[in-house]
Amino acid sequence: MIVWLSSFPRSGNTLTRIMLHRIFGIASTSEYMPERPDYAADAAAGAPGSAAALGRGRRIAKLVADGAYYPYRGSFAEFVAEARLSPERVFIKSHAAPRDDEPAIYIVRDGRAAVVSLFHYLAARNEPRTMRDVIAGDGTEAASWSGHLAAWQPLTRPNTLLLHFEGLVAKPDSAIAALSHFLGIAPGAAWHNHQAEVAAVDGAFFLGGSNARNLSELTASDEALFWSLHGSWMRRLGYERSAAIGAAAPN
């Protein structure tokens, strides 16, 4: 059985995977992580992206060594087919549209903060886009922020746990309780969000997680464009335009 770990990019998927490992002892893989001899060596050898690639290599090497991550073998399609038949739960990160009706943990973040974080992440990977393109979902890996939500429908999709990034950060005990209930597993360890530790491993990926800082970068026209495209889903998920920046959405 598969349990998808789905989100729009830069919405807390990696944080959720680290929590699953540290609290519940659950390792996960990613659609974007096929088996390679050594990720760190690839980056050090001059993979495109320089500092960002080197940081990614260090991050993945550390999480693999810690047992939080594992790469898959063969093609992703073959791996998914095998995982569907597995009697054990196989946790797979993806930013893609849903492929099936297998259980899922869907992580959402205030879309404005997510697109600003994605804007910076793409620039660090030497894949720059304009802010307006990222808001609209043009030329990015995933669909637009609301397009991703429309594909997954996390509010009504069966066997789906919806987590808010803001709750993971500000109210981790509530998020952990929700995960425990969904998984049917009691927490095995206390949670400590070691932001400084993970940022030291890969600062281009772990940018700090501050919604307030991200939202402060949006111009009035960026904000207007965002709400014109994504306002319906923002309101459905409890993100109000007049709400205090950085406030935790309902979990």
Side-chain angles (χ1 to χ4, degrees):
M1 174 190 294
I2 294 172
V3 179
W4 293 105
L5 303 172
S6 178
S7 69
F8 183 79
R10 314 302 299 168
S11 297
N13 204 312
T14 295
L15 174 60
T16 303
R17 295 176 71 190
I18 293 172
M19 292 178 78
L20 285 172
H21 178 249
R22 291 189 175 179
I23 298 167
F24 299 100
I26 294 173
S28 61
T29 190
S30 166
E31 178 173 0
Y32 317 106
M33 192 176 169
E35 187 173 59
R36 298 178 186 171
D38 189 303
Y39 282 90
D42 288 349
S50 60
L54 182 59
R56 181 177 186 273
R58 286 197 303 262
R59 168 170 53 89
I60 293 176
K62 181 180 189 306
L63 291 167
V64 169
D66 290 347
Y69 286 10
Y70 64 91
Y72 62 86
R73 294 181 178 180
S75 74
F76 185 64
E78 292 169 339
F79 173 73
V80 168
E82 292 176 3
R84 287 194 180 111
L85 299 175
S86 173
E88 305 294 329
R89 288 185 290 196
V90 181
F91 292 75
I92 307 175
K93 169 184 174 174
S94 178
H95 297 310
R99 296 173 169 87
D100 51 41
D101 59 359
E102 296 275 19
I105 297 170
Y106 190 96
I107 308 99
V108 69
R109 182 183 189 181
D110 183 320
R112 297 166 295 178
V115 297
V116 171
S117 183
L118 181 57
F119 168 81
H120 287 295
Y121 179 68
L122 290 169
R125 289 174 57 90
N126 290 334
E127 302 172 21
R129 305 287 192 278
T130 68
M131 183 68 78
R132 295 179 73 82
D133 281 348
V134 177
I135 290 171
D138 294 338
T140 58
E141 172 189 14
S144 69
W145 182 79
S146 60
H148 197 273
L149 284 155
W152 276 91
Q153 295 292 333
L155 292 172
T156 56
R157 185 179 186 273
N159 299 316
T160 299
L161 173 64
L162 174 62
L163 296 176
H164 286 263
F165 167 81
E166 295 80 7
L168 293 171
V169 174
K171 301 178 180 179
D173 289 345
S174 295
I176 291 165
L179 281 166
S180 177
H181 178 75
F182 183 75
L183 298 170
I185 303 173
W191 168 245
H192 302 285
N193 189 358
H194 300 292
Q195 172 61 33
E197 171 192 330
V198 295
V201 173
D202 186 358
F205 187 86
F206 297 103
L207 299 175
S210 171
N211 279 9
R213 185 183 63 225
N214 286 7
L215 269 61
S216 71
E217 295 188 31
L218 292 174
T219 66
S221 61
D222 291 336
E223 177 91 3
L225 175 63
F226 183 89
W227 280 92
S228 71
L229 295 173
H230 311 301
S232 176
W233 270 103
M234 288 285 283
R235 289 183 285 271
R236 289 178 66 187
L237 291 164
Y239 297 105
E240 295 294 338
R241 194 167 188 171
S242 59
I245 294 175
N251 206 357

